[in-house]
Amino acid sequence: MDPLSTLCLSALPPGLDPAGRDFFLRPTPDVAKDLLGAWFVRRVGGVLYGARLVEVEAYLGIVDPAAHSFRGRRTARVEPMYRTGGHLYVFLVYGMHSCANVVTQTEGVPEAVLIRAAEPPRDSESRLLSGPAKFCRALAIDRTLSGIDLVTDPDFDLYPDPAPERRIAVSPRIGVAYAGEAASWPLRFSLVGSNAVSGPRLSSRAVHST
DNA sequence: CACATGATCGCCT
DNA sequence: GGCGATCATGTGG
């Protein structure tokens, strides 16, 4: 069955405004934290689908050994990371899974936020998007969408949370052991208490208020 | 619950 | 040629 159908939205919660360009033209960890609680929405065949982001990671570009753009690497795959903030960068990992990033910062500064997990509109399938590849699968996102602009594309929108949750868990990024010291940088952010967060359950992690 | 493993291929050196 | 910004399934405690 079509996984998208479980993300069908009859209507968005009231009082939401789509993120404009400026939202994305800020330090990447700030954008990452402000993406928590945001609704990621797309339209397919006139129908609205979406989910609420609960876990993200910041990738800091040329100085970040875990980033695909480390040391300015610029290939066809990574090209969307060099565009202005608000674009989408999608790549394939392990030959079978897609992962989606929201590009940050101004044109030429290749930083991004990896979307790691989201909550579906109805709580019954709470783990459907609890991982970066599961998020992409559930929303039918693949590499053909790499490079689209979330700010101007009529079929995609991002609605930041107007009343952000203050309890944000901060931890090291997942799956980047190859990056040496950078593997321990505190660049993974998640909403405390969400059922949809990926990976090991939070237990004794640092919790931070913003 | 914790760990281990196989699947599968585009991307870069 | 080597290896992933992962997931589902399997085993054992």
Side-chain angles (χ1 to χ4, degrees):
Chain A
M1 84 171 204
D2 177 17
L4 247 190
S5 60
T6 64
L7 301 185
C8 183
L9 300 175
S10 42
L12 277 168
L16 297 186
D17 293 312
R21 186 71 66 199
D22 289 349
F23 178 87
F24 304 100
L25 306 185
R26 297 182 291 140
T28 303
D30 292 349
V31 177
K33 283 181 267 192
D34 290 347
L35 282 171
L36 294 174
W39 282 90
F40 185 102
V41 170
R42 73 175 296 191
R43 291 168 195 78
V44 179
V47 181
L48 208 58
Y49 304 92
R52 186 170 162 267
L53 307 185
V54 299
E55 180 186 351
V56 297
E57 286 174 356
Y59 284 83
L60 304 185
I62 64 174
V63 300
D64 181 357
H68 290 165
S69 52
F70 180 47
R71 291 202 263 236
R73 186 163 59 140
R74 188 164 190 164
T75 63
R77 179 179 66 148
V78 193
E79 190 62 27
M81 285 191 70
Y82 287 82
R83 298 188 191 167
T84 194
H87 284 78
L88 198 65
Y89 166 49
V90 184
F91 65 93
L92 188 70
V93 266
Y94 302 110
M96 63 192 98
H97 298 304
S98 298
C99 295
N101 297 256
V102 174
V103 175
T104 59
Q105 295 280 21
T106 192
E107 184 173 2
V109 179
E111 305 188 15
V113 177
L114 172 70
I115 298 175
R116 284 200 57 90
E119 290 174 348
R122 287 162 287 281
D123 205 34
S124 56
E125 292 267 20
S126 70
R127 313 232 7 115
L128 187 68
L129 307 89
S130 65
K134 295 169 80 177
F135 172 84
C136 285
R137 191 184 54 184
L139 275 161
I141 291 170
D142 63 22
R143 284 173 303 160
T144 65
L145 295 174
S146 193
I148 67 162
D149 185 358
L150 298 172
V151 175
T152 59
D153 193 303
D155 295 326
F156 287 83
D157 272 310
L158 205 40
Y159 296 92
D161 189 342
E165 166 61 55
R166 304 165 94 77
R167 290 177 304 156
I168 295 174
V170 181
S171 58
R173 294 173 294 183
I174 303 296
V176 296
Y178 59 86
E181 175 98 30
S184 63
W185 293 355
L187 294 175
R188 176 184 179 224
F189 306 101
S190 60
L191 287 185
V192 173
S194 170
N195 290 330
V197 171
S198 76
R201 302 274 56 96
L202 299 169
S203 52
S204 54
R205 285 180 203 290
V207 175
H208 206 253
S209 284
T210 47

